[in-house]
Amino acid sequence: MNESSWGVPPGAGQWGPPDRGTAPSLRAMPPASASPLHDGGDAAQTRPMPLVPGAGGHQDDARDHRDIRDHRDDRGAARLSGPLFRDEKPQEPMPTAFPGSPGHDSSQDSDKPKKKSAGRNLRAAIGVGVGLGAVILASLFFYKPVFIGVIAIAVVVGLWELTSRLAERKDIRVPLVPLAVGGTAMVVAGYVRGAEGAWVAMALTALAVLVWRMTEAPENYLRDVTAGVFAAFYVPFLATFVALMLAAEDDGPQRVLTFLLLTVVSDTGAYAVGWRFGSHKLAPRISPGKTREGLAGAVLFAMVAGALCMEFLITDGAWWQGLLLGLAVAASATLGDLGESMIKRDLGIKDMGTLLPGHGGIMDRLDSLLPTAPVVWLLFVIFVGAG
């Protein structure tokens, strides 16, 4: 009942006969000391206790063993309160569902320590990682052109994933054919002709995207070609710097190996330290899983690995150069990871693809490598020359 259904009778505080034509109120019940034969004209009100419906027994008998408390709130309406009985505490509500039942609310369970989860199939991720590492190392040290082919394949697949997600989520139609041909040309030109060849191939690829898109309707032309030029720069052009490192005659494979090792070690250090000790979010709006502790782990692991690699793998390298190289790799790899997280959040997806079990797509593995490649290439040129 609401408060308006509890009317206030005249002469509240005393029990008396109701006015004619008015039905008796539930509040105006006779006190425990009154009997049906007692007119109760000026009987004093008994100690207030609430009405307990459904207490058992006949309604009149139960009414004789109850007290009623009649008090008013600020608006003068009556309400019930207090314990159920004089010497009884309120009973605890019975649970509506038990753990494991369909209606059970797990948020009401007692706090229990929960195990942290990696969020992916670690066995599949490790197996795929080992397989990719074996292919990369075999092609890298066996025959350099084979590794250039591996880079070109990764670029084409990455472009396909990126353009497919743009079309699915944003209806952006980026021409894949000129991007795939131009991207392959960038990698080969960078290896054969150096940085100048890579820049020329990049310019021609952008021009090809503009012309190819002219064969379709003019609506959204500017949007599509802008996305196409971005894709050409983001995937194949940045990957070209790996080919530039490989082109060094003295220690080209060692430079590429150092680049790959430092990026992987940085990611591994960030994951291990962040998973174990992470509590302060690094960029919660972009990537909630990344923590400041994880970034510190990435820097520490990468600097140690950089010092070792520069000392033992790179010709004329020094350990202190490796410390700076590791610091730069940790920063660029983290920024690259956050950059792709921004893209995926804008597209509303978790992974760019499903080609690699436990990893997602090719682009989900290139996110840290692509922006790190020009940084490592530049530092190699500064520290030990172009080779």
Side-chain angles (χ1 to χ4, degrees), residues 38-60:
H38 180 65
D39 60 359
D42 295 325
Q45 183 180 2
T46 59
R47 194 176 66 83
M49 290 295 288
L51 177 65
V52 184
H58 193 272
Q59 183 177 2
D60 292 337

Side-chain angles (χ1 to χ4, degrees), residues 258 262 310 321-330 375-376 379-380 383:
T258 299
L262 293 188
M310 287 295 293
Q321 297 171 341
L323 294 178
L324 298 179
L325 181 64
L327 177 62
V329 167
V375 174
V376 175
L379 289 178
F380 275 144
F383 290 151

Side-chain angles (χ1 to χ4, degrees), residues 193-219:
R193 302 296 298 177
E196 293 181 358
W199 276 112
V200 172
M202 172 65 193
L204 293 176
T205 302
L207 180 60
V209 170
L210 269 66
V211 174
W212 192 282
R213 180 59 179 78
M214 289 180 183
T215 60
E216 301 180 8
E219 287 79 16

